[in-house]
Amino acid sequence: MKTVFSPLHAGHSGQMELVAGAIVPGFEKPSRAEIIKARIENQKLGDILAPEVHDLTAAKRVHTADYIDFLPTVWPQWEAAGKTGSAIPFAWPTRGLRGDVRPGTLEAQLGYYSFDGGASFVKGTWDAIKSSYDVGLTAAQLVKSGERAAFALCRPPGHHAGAAFMGGYCFINNAAVAAQWFRDQGAKRVAVLDVDYHHGNGTQEIFYARADVQVINLHGDPMTEYPFFLGHADEHGAGEGEGFNLNYPMPFGTAWEKWNEALEDACQKLAAYAPDVVVVSLGVDTFEKDPISHFKLTSADYPKIGARIARLGLPSLFVMEGGYAVDEIGVNAVGVLTGFEGR
Ligand code: 6XA
Ligand code: ZN
């Protein structure tokens, strides 16, 4: 399997985040992607290609144009205003406030275009976001041109980003962009299978009212787990999309047996949908030693995930999402891919 990777991800570094009342170094850090890349080389998964540079047309098919146009302006505005720390949103238009008026300053616009303080900007952030987008689209092109599967080693990740908001380390929703791109290239139906520990609220939001993209999520129950405000089992889709969104929320402590039951059911529903291509939002933060998550999958489980996805027999695009146990992130993420290849 070929991988697409860009070194530009590394400019998105040094972000801080708020954990238990303390500002700490972000878990979503450059070593994540570098360790996965090293493991790909070690396991001889296949060639590692640089992405082709794309314009932002495909991004604007799933995100609003104003949101996408905002992203590259953040750091230059922040810097021009003499600010030195990272650009982190801190005020949001929740219930009772006006969420329909785009405010006039950068600080306020950061809140307008986000749902939490988990997506912050440093100097290299836009170039990293753009490279991650290019990585996703280039890998999608490999699948379109006949590869059975490809791996988009995206960083930053994407599945929390909605049509007009960032959050949870995510800015452009790489998996959603790829799914829409496959549709625009002639695929009749596309499935997105999100196996990250966290619910992919952005992907769900983007396709919620559509029947041409099935969205399936396996994740920590939002009653107790981030992103908290979406991902319940009763979210089936709306309008034409009714029945084409499926959620499998699971409790803290879920290990392979129960998780695999959900995967099996998900794969059967995915197969019944008969898509032309599957986009896998690949997070490995379901791992037992993940520092921010509460599932109990082991390294031996990841190849089994890949093997089950391979049994769908569909062209498959793997898009990297979360996973923060850096010592094992390479073994686990590449384990899914080698499992897919039957080794
Ligand atoms: C914020 C947790 C962000 C989770 C990001 C993630 N405290 N999403 O891994 O898949
Ligand atoms: Zn996650």
Side-chain angles (χ1 to χ4, degrees):
M1 184 185 312
K2 292 188 171 108
T3 295
V4 186
F5 168 85
S6 167
L8 290 175
H9 79 85
H12 183 50
S13 74
Q15 319 91 274
M16 305 297 282
E17 64 180 77
L18 193 57
V19 176
I23 300 278
V24 302
F27 289 96
E28 202 293 285
K29 56 192 176 190
S31 59
R32 298 178 57 248
E34 297 298 332
I35 289 168
I36 295 169
K37 176 169 175 273
R39 182 69 180 174
I40 288 167
E41 288 161 350
N42 168 279
Q43 293 294 290
K44 302 193 175 10
L45 182 72
D47 292 344
I48 300 179
L49 312 175
E52 281 169 22
V53 174
H54 295 76
D55 67 25
L56 291 166
T57 309
K60 292 176 181 176
R61 296 281 295 140
V62 295
H63 296 284
T64 64
D66 61 312
Y67 170 63
I68 292 299
D69 291 339
F70 168 72
L71 296 174
T73 73
V74 172
W75 188 259
Q77 289 190 72
W78 192 254
E79 207 171 34
K83 301 194 166 110
T84 51
S86 48
I88 308 184
F90 62 87
W92 294 276
T94 186
R95 290 175 299 280
L97 299 176
R98 288 288 295 272
D100 60 330
V101 185
R102 184 184 194 258
T105 68
L106 177 63
E107 286 89 338
Q109 288 166 1
L110 285 167
Y112 178 73
Y113 287 122
S114 65
F115 74 97
D116 72 0
S120 60
F121 288 74
V122 295
K123 194 177 190 64
T125 296
W126 168 250
D127 286 347
I129 297 167
K130 177 60 170 50
S131 77
S132 191
Y133 165 79
D134 287 333
V135 162
L137 278 175
T138 303
Q141 274 164 336
L142 291 173
V143 174
K144 164 81 177 21
S145 57
E147 299 277 341
R148 184 186 176 210
F151 179 39
L153 213 184
C154 290
R155 182 179 174 270
H159 72 154
H160 295 303
F165 60 81
M166 54 195 184
Y169 312 150
C170 300
F171 303 84
I172 290 181
N173 191 320
N174 305 303
V177 168
Q180 181 64 46
W181 184 84
F182 283 122
R183 281 284 294 117
D184 292 340
Q185 295 295 310
K188 290 271 179 298
R189 284 181 303 282
V190 180
V192 180
L193 176 62
D194 188 325
V195 298
D196 186 279
Y197 171 74
H198 303 93
H199 178 251
N201 60 285
T203 316
Q204 171 167 319
E205 184 239 359
I206 287 167
F207 297 117
Y208 203 61
R210 289 173 50 174
D212 58 334
V213 181
Q214 181 192 47
V215 176
I216 305 180
N217 258 283
L218 281 62
H219 53 277
D221 188 338
M223 288 302 283
T224 48
E225 187 52 89
Y226 181 92
F228 303 120
F229 306 112
L230 208 67
H232 298 280
D234 66 353
E235 297 158 12
H236 302 297
E240 283 178 15
E242 180 66 42
F244 298 100
N245 188 88
L246 281 91
N247 281 329
Y248 295 86
M250 288 171 270
F252 284 4
T254 296
W256 173 253
E257 197 189 348
K258 286 288 174 199
W259 193 90
N260 184 46
E261 281 175 24
L263 178 67
E264 186 53 41
D265 196 67
C267 284
Q268 287 176 22
K269 296 205 160 79
L270 193 154
Y273 181 67
D276 299 309
V277 54
V278 58
V279 176
V280 180
S281 266
L282 177 57
V284 291
D285 37 14
T286 46
F287 183 50
E288 56 181 345
K289 293 184 206 158
D290 194 273
I292 66 169
S293 308
H294 298 93
F295 282 178
K296 298 285 171 219
L297 270 59
T298 66
S299 292
D301 295 329
Y302 291 97
K304 296 185 271 185
I305 299 175
R308 182 64 188 91
I309 293 169
R311 278 212 285 131
L312 294 168
L314 294 165
S316 303
L317 173 66
F318 291 89
V319 178
M320 196 66 210
E321 303 282 2
Y324 309 97
V326 283
D327 287 348
E328 294 93 350
I329 191 173
V331 171
N332 294 345
V334 180
V336 174
L337 307 175
T338 51
F340 179 93
E341 295 196 325
R343 61 186 176 107

